[in-house]
Amino acid sequence: MNRIPKGILYILLSCFFFSLMGAIVKILGERLGSLELVFFRNLFGIFIIGASLLHRPAIERGGRVWMLIFRGIWGSTALLAYFYNITQIPLATAFTLTQTTPLFIALFSLLLLHESVKKEVWLAIFLGFGGVLLLYPPTLPSFSPLIGFTGLYSGLGAALAYLSISELKNHYENRTIILSLTLSGTLIPFVLLFFGGEEAAWGGWVMPTLREWVWISALGIISTLGQIFLTKAYASMQPSILGAVSYVTILFATGWGLLLGDSLPSLVGALGMILIAFGGILSAHQGAKRS
């Protein structure tokens, strides 16, 4: 364990917590809209991170406020697209659609960060993405153009949000970086809830029951833990490697989905998941060799 890079450990912990977050969203999504769930998910994060900053103020250089806003907008809108998919289709399928993120990360790393991506990492990414393609139509249940678009957008938006950490980590503490996401992720849903109306695809406001408030509290805590480990990971290791390792989230999500009543994946779907897992293992191995 001591030989495994910290970034790999952080991203695995993040994947576990985010998969658990998805399971809770699936449960709550039976009655509450995705917009409302994104609002509560980030509102709890503000309280948690805000309390930490009050207890121990951040010591940082600052100077990249627009980059913080950039991360917040892309990250929160990607999360909204992601939550919408979770409430509409099987959990593993929704997670699978977000796994375009590593491909976008590799592309943006090359174009924006001028990062050198090793051929082994490219192989890992494309193996994983090939596995994702095996889960696309006709094997995806309830597939629609809207779900396809929101799935791709959640991957692209998350990639841009993750890559911004590489720049922000030189100017801000992890807590401030996370706070930029939770603030934006609270404000944007609030505005859309106010102006969107009850008929919007993402759903209007529904008053939670006592049981749902308990689940909402768990959602806020678990998702904040996932965000903390995610930020730590991307602040400590090459983004393209971490993006490939994040494919294991689909394996976690499949397990939660089965517990919640989803059916087993088809033979083609299982092959896709094997390719995804192999890509993650290969990328993790390459990351260990570089550390």
Side-chain angles (χ1 to χ4, degrees), residues 60-62 64 165-173 177:
E60 52 201 10
R61 291 168 56 190
R64 292 291 187 275
I165 299 175
S166 298
E167 171 66 19
L168 289 171
K169 70 180 182 180
N170 298 319
H171 299 269
Y172 297 98
E173 284 190 12
I177 297 173

Side-chain angles (χ1 to χ4, degrees), residues 176-194:
T176 303
I177 297 173
I178 296 170
L179 188 63
S180 69
L181 176 63
T182 55
L183 284 172
S184 179
T186 302
L187 180 61
I188 291 176
F190 178 82
V191 172
L192 291 177
L193 278 169
F194 185 79

Side-chain angles (χ1 to χ4, degrees), residues 31-98:
R31 204 175 75 91
L32 306 182
S34 54
L35 201 59
E36 186 174 352
L37 294 176
V38 171
F39 172 79
F40 281 126
R41 176 253 193 253
N42 287 291
L43 184 63
F44 273 83
I46 290 177
F47 288 133
I48 295 172
I49 301 301
S52 174
L53 288 170
L54 286 174
H55 176 71
R56 181 172 58 85
I59 301 175
E60 52 201 10
R61 291 168 56 190
R64 292 291 187 275
V65 175
W66 287 109
M67 183 66 74
L68 283 173
I69 295 174
F70 173 91
R71 166 173 163 71
I73 291 175
W74 281 106
S76 58
T77 53
L79 185 66
L80 175 57
Y82 174 46
F83 274 27
Y84 172 77
N85 272 1
I86 290 177
T87 62
Q88 300 298 313
I89 57 179
L91 189 59
T93 304
F95 273 92
T96 298
L97 284 170
T98 67

Side-chain angles (χ1 to χ4, degrees), residues 15 19 92 95-96 99 245-258 269-270 272-278 281:
C15 287
S19 68
F95 273 92
T96 298
Q99 295 309 307
V245 176
S246 68
Y247 278 129
V248 300
T249 308
I250 295 179
L251 302 179
F252 291 136
T254 300
W256 294 121
L258 291 174
M273 292 181 180
I274 291 172
L275 285 177
I276 289 166
F278 183 74
I281 293 171

